[in-house]
Amino acid sequence: MNILILGSGGRESAFAWKIAQSPKCQNLFIAPGNAGTTQYGTNVNLKVTDFEGIKTFVLGNGINLVLVGPEEPLVKGVHDFFLNDEQLKNIPVVGPQQEAAQLEGSKDFSKQFMEKHNIPTAAYKTFTKDTLQEGLTYLTTGGLPVVLKADGLAAGKGVLICTTLEEAQQELTEMLAEAKFGEASSRVVIEQFLTGIELSVFVMTDGNSYKILPEAKDYKRIGEGDTGLNTGGMGSVSPVPFADAIYMKKVEEKVIIPTIEGLKKDGIPYKGFIFIGLMNSEGEPWVIEYNCRMGDPETESVMRRIDSDFVDLLQGVAEVNLDQKELVISPKTAATVVMVAGGYPGEYLKNKVITGTENIHESIVFHAGTSTDGDNVISTGGRVLAITTLQDNMFNALQQATADASRIYYDGMYFRRDIGFDLL
Ligand SMILES: Nc1ncnc2c1ncn2[C@@H]1O[C@H](COP(=O)(O)OP(=O)(O)O)[C@@H](O)[C@H]1O
Ligand SMILES: [Mg+2]
C-alpha cells in the first residue's frame, strides 16, 4: 500500500515511524513532514488544508490510504472532500468527517452529545452575545472556580479557569461581546470545575467496533512541577498507574461504549481516532473534552507500546472490519520528553542548529518543529523534538528519556526533567 500522512509534528513522526515498519506499507509520504520524517518516507511540500493539492498528489502517486494527523483539516472537511469527489471517493481517509469532527471543533456540540447520551461530564450551559446577560447571571449561581470555554478551535488557548466572579464576568463579556477569541468565542460554554487527575484515553474506531489504544498522561505546563504557562505538551507517559484494569473497565462502560453507540444512534459515521480527555475524580471518569485525532506528545508514547502491525489496524478502520484485527500492547513503559525552543510558549528562538542526536541509542528522536538548511538540521517550531523511550519499568523509562534529551543541544533548548516522576 501507498500511504499519505497529513501533518508535520511529533505525532506524525511517530505515525511515520510505526507505519514504515509494516510489511504492508510500500511507499510512505508525509505532507508536509519535517526534517526527521525523511527517515521513514518522502516529504511532500503541501499544506494540510490544501485539499486540491492533496487530490493531485494522491491521484498522481497511487495513494491507497490517507491518515490525517491534526484536527484542522478534519474540522475543515478533508474526509468529506474525498467522499464527494468522483476520483477520490474510494480512497479511504482515517479521520472523521466534518460533522463528527465537531466533537472537537465545537465544545457546545460535544457537551450536547455527552448530555444526550448520558456520558459523565461537568454541568454546563452555553451562551452567545444575545444571551450575555443570562450568562452573567448564570455565573452568580454556580461555584468557583468556574470554567469558560470558547466554543470553536482556539489553538489550545480558548479555555479559561476563573477563580473569582468578577474575573469570570469580565472574561465572559470579553469573549462574547468583544470576540476575544474571534469567531471561536461567538459561543461560550460555562462549565463546572472538576478536580482530580487528567488522563488521555485513545480509541480507534471504524464506526462499528472499536479498539482501546494505550492510555497516557501528558504534561501541559512549561515549568517543572506543572507550573507556568500552558504549552502544546511537554511530555507523556504510558501506561498510567491509576488507569488499571478496573478503572479502564469503568471508562469503557461509562464513556467509550456510550460514545460509540451515541454516534451510531445519531447517524454520525466515524472512522478514525477519538481522543477522550478525562478527569479522574475519586476513581470516577468525567469527560473534559473529545478530540477527533490523536494527541501530541501522547502518540509518541502510544505508538511505542503498540506491538501489532499498525497498517493492519488502519486497514481495519478503512474497511470496517476492525473487530477482526489484533491489537497487541506492550506491558513496558513508554516515556516522551519534549524539547522546546528558547522562549516557548511565548515568542521563541528559531533556526538553531541541532546537534547530538547521533548520540542517542536507547530512545527514538521524533522530530516536531525541525527543518534543514542544507547542511544542518535546524529548529523551526516551538516544540522541536520528542525523545521517546520504551523500558521495562517506569523509573528506567523516565530516567532514560530525560538523560537522552540532555545529550542533544541547540541554542536556547529547554525540556522538563520531571516528566512522569509524579507517577512513581
Ligand atoms: N471542567 C473542568 N474542570 C477542571 N479543569 C478543566 C475543565 N475543563 C477544562 N479544564 C482544564 O483545561 C484544559 C483545557 O480544556 P479542554 O477542554 O481540554 O480544551 P482545549 O484542549 O480545547 O483547550 C484541560 O486539559 C483541563 O486542564
Ligand atoms: Mg484539551
Side-chain angles (χ1 to χ4, degrees):
M1 284 175 84
N2 297 329
I3 299 174
L4 171 66
I5 301 174
L6 297 184
S8 63
R11 166 183 49 213
E12 290 75 21
S13 294
F15 278 147
W17 168 81
K18 186 71 186 155
I19 288 172
Q21 294 170 49
S22 168
K24 293 187 168 207
C25 178
Q26 212 168 8
N27 295 303
L28 175 62
F29 300 93
I30 309 98
N34 57 44
T37 51
T38 53
Q39 299 167 78
Y40 321 118
T42 307
N43 286 352
V44 185
N45 190 12
L46 276 176
K47 280 201 187 127
V48 295
T49 50
D50 177 6
F51 297 172
E52 288 296 340
I54 292 167
K55 173 179 173 176
T56 306
F57 183 81
V58 162
L59 294 175
N61 291 274
I63 298 297
N64 309 106
L65 186 141
V66 179
L67 169 59
V68 186
E71 62 279 12
E72 195 190 0
L74 295 168
V75 173
K76 290 191 170 153
V78 69
H79 194 155
D80 312 71
F81 176 83
F82 271 63
L83 291 175
N84 294 330
D85 186 290
E86 269 313 304
Q87 290 169 288
L88 295 176
K89 68 179 183 200
N90 294 318
I91 299 169
V93 175
V94 176
Q97 287 164 249
Q98 199 163 20
E99 186 185 13
Q102 283 190 83
L103 281 182
E104 173 163 5
S106 165
K107 300 278 186 204
D108 178 54
F109 177 90
S110 75
K111 292 297 277 192
Q112 285 188 41
F113 178 86
M114 288 184 257
E115 190 169 59
K116 182 171 174 191
H117 300 291
N118 284 314
I119 295 162
T121 191
Y124 82 104
K125 244 186 159 127
T126 302
F127 299 92
T128 64
K129 197 173 177 176
D130 295 336
T131 55
L132 173 60
Q133 282 312 318
E134 284 101 306
L136 294 173
T137 309
Y138 181 72
L139 283 171
T140 65
T141 62
L144 288 167
V146 63
V147 186
L148 306 187
K149 296 187 175 185
D151 177 57
L153 293 184
K157 294 188 168 64
V159 173
L160 303 171
I161 295 170
C162 302
T163 46
T164 67
L165 177 62
E166 295 68 41
E167 182 193 356
Q169 290 186 326
Q170 165 140 15
E171 292 290 357
L172 183 70
T173 307
E174 285 178 20
M175 286 167 96
L176 288 175
E178 291 153 37
K180 178 169 184 166
F181 299 104
E183 181 55 28
S185 65
S186 61
R187 276 188 293 179
V188 173
V189 170
I190 300 179
E191 70 178 47
Q192 171 206 2
F193 181 81
L194 301 168
T195 51
I197 310 179
E198 287 178 63
L199 175 72
S200 303
V201 170
F202 301 98
V203 179
M204 200 173 185
T205 181
D206 58 9
N208 186 42
S209 68
Y210 63 87
K211 296 255 187 270
I212 306 174
L213 302 179
E215 79 286 352
K217 184 173 193 292
D218 80 325
Y219 292 80
K220 291 207 179 68
R221 302 298 189 104
I222 187 74
E224 287 169 10
D226 262 321
T227 53
L229 294 173
N230 253 325
T231 70
M234 297 297 292
S236 67
V237 182
S238 176
V240 180
F242 71 76
D244 56 14
I246 296 171
Y247 185 78
M248 289 307 288
K249 191 90 212 141
K250 262 190 212 173
V251 173
E252 185 170 13
E253 281 166 5
K254 297 187 177 182
V255 178
I256 297 173
I257 293 173
T259 300
I260 301 292
E261 292 306 316
L263 288 167
K264 282 190 217 171
K265 274 183 214 154
D266 291 351
I268 302 175
Y270 203 111
K271 283 185 179 186
F273 302 97
I274 309 176
F275 164 166
I276 306 170
L278 290 178
M279 185 70 86
N280 172 26
S281 219
E282 292 166 18
E284 287 299 320
W286 296 81
V287 178
I288 289 190
E289 67 161 348
Y290 291 109
N291 293 309
C292 61
R293 36 82 197 176
M294 290 292 289
D296 188 356
E298 291 100 327
T299 306
E300 290 89 315
S301 292
V302 169
M303 285 298 126
R304 291 225 56 182
R305 289 193 61 221
I306 295 180
D307 284 338
S308 355
D309 183 341
F310 192 58
V311 174
D312 193 41
L313 290 162
L314 293 173
Q315 263 183 319
V317 171
E319 293 163 8
V320 196
N321 57 9
L322 189 61
D323 54 347
Q324 287 156 44
K325 304 293 184 182
E326 193 187 26
L327 171 63
V328 181
I329 295 174
S330 165
K332 294 184 182 182
T333 297
T336 297
V337 170
V338 174
M339 303 186 65
V340 302
Y344 178 82
E347 195 71 22
Y348 56 82
L349 299 175
K350 280 185 192 159
N351 304 323
K352 298 299 175 191
V353 174
I354 301 166
T355 56
T357 54
E358 66 282 0
N359 302 326
I360 313 289
H361 306 292
E362 295 295 317
S363 301
I364 298 175
V365 180
F366 290 124
H367 288 228
T370 66
S371 183
T372 53
D373 67 359
D375 299 323
N376 303 297
V377 174
I378 56 169
S379 66
T380 51
R383 291 191 292 166
V384 179
L385 300 168
I387 314 302
T388 303
T389 194
L390 185 72
Q391 302 290 332
D392 286 335
N393 66 59
M394 184 166 287
F395 182 77
N396 289 348
L398 302 177
Q399 210 179 33
Q400 188 69 52
T402 311
D404 281 339
S406 64
R407 293 186 170 94
I408 294 174
Y409 182 80
Y410 51 88
D411 200 13
M413 66 124 192
Y414 170 77
F415 61 91
R416 276 178 61 172
R417 292 172 182 277
D418 68 335
I419 298 300
F421 284 97
D422 58 313
L423 297 173
L424 288 174

